[in-house]
Amino acid sequence: MKKLVALLALLVGGCVTLPENVRPVSDFRLERYLGTWYEIARLDHPFERGLSHVTAQYSLREDGGVRVVNRGYSARDEKWKQAEGRAYFVDDPQTGFLKVSFFGPFYGSYVVFELDYANYAYAVVSGPDTSYLWILAREPFMDETLRKELVAKAAERGFKTEGLIFVEHE
């Protein structure tokens, strides 16, 4: 039993890490980050596979954390899918490094490493390693020049951006 608990602790704690070459933004303002974000692009993972019209809604929880509601449409199943989770800052609230959980006690990294400080109109987010990447925006579409710039910045940090899925929002 002790080995199982130790393994579980390692797995849970091991998922809240920073990818190499990725540093979270500083001067992060949660109150400006709250609200709806549209997924512009992502690297593929089973939990979002086949989804279009993907959004993330962030709001405050009573315990001081962040309520996370991810929603997307599955054309194959002809229905909307939704997952609700919770997030908490790993270090301090001015650093864009949170841990997020959709499954009980299991947390993963949520690292905001690019951010439009002026308007909070876009963000680039990583998970615990470079196989997780999301480009988010406040609107369902992003200027192509900006999108290419953000993709290039992610590639410079080691993300395999040639595998990006550009999300439909029509």
Side-chain angles (χ1 to χ4, degrees):
M1 184 64 167
K2 287 181 182 178
K3 287 182 181 179
L4 180 60
V5 171
L7 177 62
L8 184 59
L10 177 64
L11 290 173
V12 172
C15 293
V16 183
T17 60
L18 291 170
E20 190 174 333
N21 299 322
V22 174
R23 296 294 163 256
V25 296
S26 57
D27 200 24
F28 183 79
R29 300 287 179 248
L30 179 60
E31 67 277 3
R32 295 189 68 198
Y33 199 81
L34 297 175
T36 302
W37 289 86
Y38 293 86
E39 191 176 87
I40 301 300
R42 68 171 181 264
L43 289 177
D44 190 32
H45 281 283
F47 52 86
E48 284 187 281
R49 190 158 291 144
L51 296 183
S52 63
H53 303 81
V54 179
T55 60
Q57 176 74 36
Y58 303 100
S59 59
L60 287 178
R61 292 172 46 96
E62 287 184 18
D63 66 0
V66 179
R67 178 177 181 244
V68 181
V69 178
N70 290 340
R71 187 170 190 255
Y73 185 74
S74 171
R76 185 188 67 170
D77 298 334
E78 297 182 337
K79 68 178 184 179
W80 288 92
K81 295 190 175 189
Q82 181 171 302
E84 184 171 335
R86 61 193 185 280
Y88 300 93
F89 285 99
V90 173
D91 296 319
D92 62 80
Q94 290 76 43
T95 302
F97 183 20
L98 296 95
K99 61 181 184 176
V100 64
S101 175
F102 290 93
F103 310 105
F106 303 102
Y107 283 88
S109 295
Y110 183 98
V111 185
V112 180
F113 67 92
E114 290 289 336
L115 181 64
D116 170 23
Y117 283 106
N119 301 306
Y120 276 62
Y122 67 80
V124 184
V125 177
S126 169
D129 59 49
T130 57
S131 71
Y132 296 90
L133 178 68
W134 295 270
I135 298 175
L136 307 175
R138 292 296 190 174
E139 301 293 330
F141 303 99
M142 179 179 278
D143 173 78
E144 187 174 341
T145 302
L146 174 59
R147 183 176 56 93
K148 286 180 179 179
E149 178 184 323
L150 296 175
V151 169
K153 287 182 177 186
E156 289 170 6
R157 289 184 173 89
F159 293 90
K160 291 184 173 31
T161 57
E162 63 276 2
L164 280 171
I165 296 167
F166 294 94
V167 182
E168 293 180 36
H169 285 284
E170 297 171 358

